[in-house]
Amino acid sequence: MTTVDEVLRYLNELDYPATRDEIVQEAEREGAPTAVLRALRGMPPVEYRNKDEVARSAKTDIAEETPAEKGAKARDKKHQRVAEYLRDTT
């Protein structure tokens, strides 16, 4: 799994707004490794306004959780409409 910093490192020259495909193409031009490209390709196919939106959408280490945490969040009804990686378990 890659980190947010690794993903954003290859997007310094990108002009926003940009689509997912444009973001992936820029990362490829900058020589991004396979793990970074995989994280970017896993994003929803929408237009991104800035790096923050890319960082929140890319499948990176912030999305990782244990199976027990995932189960607890699934049972918590107050988080049904919140993106999985943004849910607060406290």
Side-chain angles (χ1 to χ4, degrees), residues 6-10 14 21 25 27-28 30 32 35-36 40 42 44 46 49-50 56 59 61 63 70-71 73-74 90:
E6 290 171 339
V7 168
L8 297 180
R9 180 181 312 150
Y10 298 98
L14 185 62
D21 294 335
Q25 288 173 356
E28 287 174 337
E30 293 292 323
V36 170
L40 293 172
V46 297
R49 294 179 295 190
N50 52 45
R56 287 191 304 266
K59 185 160 178 61
D61 58 349
K70 195 176 257 189
K73 289 178 183 178
T90 57

Side-chain angles (χ1 to χ4, degrees), residues 47-79:
E47 190 170 85
Y48 295 89
R49 294 179 295 190
N50 52 45
K51 280 186 176 184
D52 292 334
E53 287 185 356
V54 173
R56 287 191 304 266
S57 295
K59 185 160 178 61
T60 61
D61 58 349
I62 62 170
E64 290 295 305
E65 62 188 354
T66 66
E69 290 172 331
K70 195 176 257 189
K73 289 178 183 178
R75 291 186 296 275
D76 186 1
K77 300 299 181 198
K78 72 179 183 178
H79 293 295

